[in-house]
Amino acid sequence: MTTSNHHDHLIASARSARGFMPDDEGYALFEAALAAGSAPAAQPAVLLEVGSWCGKSATYLGAAALETGATVISVDHHHGSEENQAGWDYFEADLVDPTDGRLNTLPHFQRQIASAGLEGVVVGVVGHSPAVAAWWRTPLSFLFIDGGHGEEPAWADFRGWTPHLVVGGILAIHDVFENPADGGRPPYDLYCHATQSGDYTEVNACGSLRVLKKLR
Ligand code: SAH
Ligand code: MG
């Protein structure tokens, strides 16, 4: 496959993957990761996402990483967020593991990354985000926060992971809704905090995706 065919194949794979990311936002995520991975000071770049689900955003990130020689770390406990559980809006019954009755997206994530041909580029880490962040030591060129959207998990992700982001690195946040009628507050609160602190400046926005650059 030529590079551009490969690119098209990966973007098509990401688009058809199961998950929660409109095509235009996914492409904006890809472009942000491409820019972060190309920054000469940050080679070899490590890109990290919180919230793998079934590997959709990880495929966009993996497509970018493949082009720049970066590696993607995708963190998830794979049991779903609050809104994915039975009785909530984003419950999908076929994701329940019949042996224990719990949601388990890990096999879906593995199949997606394998079918995209990204097993050498995307590394899944299974665990609670704060437990992984606690022992993490590698500087990150790019951080994508798309894990638990409740107040506690969202702020834990921000506090646990942003210290690892290098100055000049990219912080992307998903499900940022200015209007409370469109979605929950915590991702928007993180975005407001980051930009108002003066530590980050906004470089792109697409749908509910916000792309910020770390200034200090
Ligand atoms: N990025 C995905 C969607 C992520 S959905 C896509 O492109 O489709 C949010 C994910 O965050 C769920 O899979 C859930 O299991 C995970 N999650 C929620 N809270 C978490 C936590 N504290 N630690 C690890 N994963 C968490
Ligand atoms: Mg999301």
Side-chain angles (χ1 to χ4, degrees), residues 140-187:
L140 302 174
S141 301
F142 181 96
L143 171 62
F144 178 45
I145 298 183
D146 192 23
H149 291 350
E151 195 161 325
E152 200 208 299
W155 281 105
D157 287 342
F158 188 87
R159 291 199 194 95
W161 290 107
T162 54
H164 298 292
L165 187 62
V166 299
V167 171
I170 295 293
L171 170 64
I173 307 177
H174 199 225
D175 303 300
V176 171
F177 297 108
E178 211 168 319
N179 181 350
D182 296 333
R185 294 294 75 200

Side-chain angles (χ1 to χ4, degrees), residues 8 27 38 43 46 52 66-67 72 91 104 107 112-113 127-128 133 136 157 169-170 174 177 180 190:
D8 294 350
Y27 205 79
S38 313
Q43 293 288 350
V46 176
S52 322
L66 198 64
E67 289 190 27
V72 177
F91 176 61
N104 183 9
Q112 170 57 30
I113 298 309
H128 279 267
W136 190 265
D157 287 342
I170 295 293
H174 199 225
F177 297 108
L190 301 189

Side-chain angles (χ1 to χ4, degrees), residues 187-204:
Y188 177 70
D189 292 342
L190 301 189
Y191 158 78
C192 289
H193 171 80
T195 50
Q196 286 164 13
S197 67
D199 294 347
Y200 295 85
T201 188
E202 185 166 333
V203 292
N204 195 21

Side-chain angles (χ1 to χ4, degrees), residues 57-156:
S57 50
T59 303
Y60 283 111
L61 297 176
L66 198 64
E67 289 190 27
T68 61
T71 296
V72 177
I73 309 295
S74 181
V75 180
D76 202 309
H77 49 49
H78 285 284
H79 293 307
S81 300
E82 197 177 41
E83 65 270 22
N84 305 122
Q85 306 305 319
W88 291 69
D89 283 355
Y90 296 94
F91 176 61
E92 297 175 23
D94 67 302
L95 295 175
V96 173
D97 179 346
T99 59
D100 62 4
R102 298 181 79 187
L103 219 67
N104 183 9
T105 51
L106 181 56
H108 300 264
F109 173 80
Q110 290 179 301
R111 279 181 218 126
Q112 170 57 30
I113 298 309
S115 78
L118 288 171
E119 288 175 302
V121 175
V122 176
V123 178
V125 173
V126 181
H128 279 267
S129 173
V132 181
W135 58 259
W136 190 265
R137 296 292 177 269
T138 305
L140 302 174
S141 301
F142 181 96
L143 171 62
F144 178 45
I145 298 183
D146 192 23
H149 291 350
E151 195 161 325
E152 200 208 299
W155 281 105

